[in-house]
């Protein structure tokens, strides 16, 4: 089993920064893909950033140049550094781990952490 625990959310003014952390416990493989999603009220949950084995990353267009995802395999932790935050970044941010087993993908989720950006 995999458990994901997020931390680092909070309230920040527009233009400010926050760093989210997600600590994974249980059996974690380096080939597991990890990432961050976010969900604003009344909206669907969308990908923010993801990092695969080898450090390959991808970002939502809306956060490119402002957010950076990184991963510490020794600590089984993934980070999301968020700079130049905007009010539209306000959402609950969820940590995600995707494990590919043969032809199927199993997704694990954290409980979410609230990020609120005031204008």
């Amino acid at each position: 089993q995999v458990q994901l625990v997020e931390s680092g959310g909070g309230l920040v003014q527009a233009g400010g920064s926050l760093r989210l952390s997600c600590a994974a416990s249980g059996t974690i493989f380096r080939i597991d893909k990890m990432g961050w999603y976010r969900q604003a009220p009344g909206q669907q949950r969308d990908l923010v950033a993801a990092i695969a084995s080898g450090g390959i990353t991808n970002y939502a267009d809306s956060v490119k140049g402002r957010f950076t995802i990184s991963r510490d395999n020794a600590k089984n932790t993934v980070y999301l550094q968020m700079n130049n935050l905007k009010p539209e970044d306000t959402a609950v941010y969820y940590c995600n781990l995707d494990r590919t087993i043969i032809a199927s993908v199993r997704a694990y989720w954290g409980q979410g952490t609230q990020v609120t950006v005031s204008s």
Side-chain angles (χ1 to χ4, degrees), residues 27-73:
T27 302
I28 309 299
F29 302 110
R30 294 197 175 193
I31 61 171
D32 292 331
K33 183 177 181 181
M34 297 189 72
W36 291 92
Y37 286 70
R38 66 186 181 188
Q39 187 169 21
Q43 303 295 318
Q44 65 181 20
R45 190 176 296 187
D46 291 324
L47 175 70
V48 176
I51 184 165
S53 59
I56 299 172
T57 59
N58 65 292
Y59 296 90
D61 288 341
S62 60
V63 306
K64 285 180 180 177
R66 301 188 297 122
F67 291 10
T68 302
I69 189 170
S70 61
R71 180 173 178 171
D72 185 335
N73 289 323

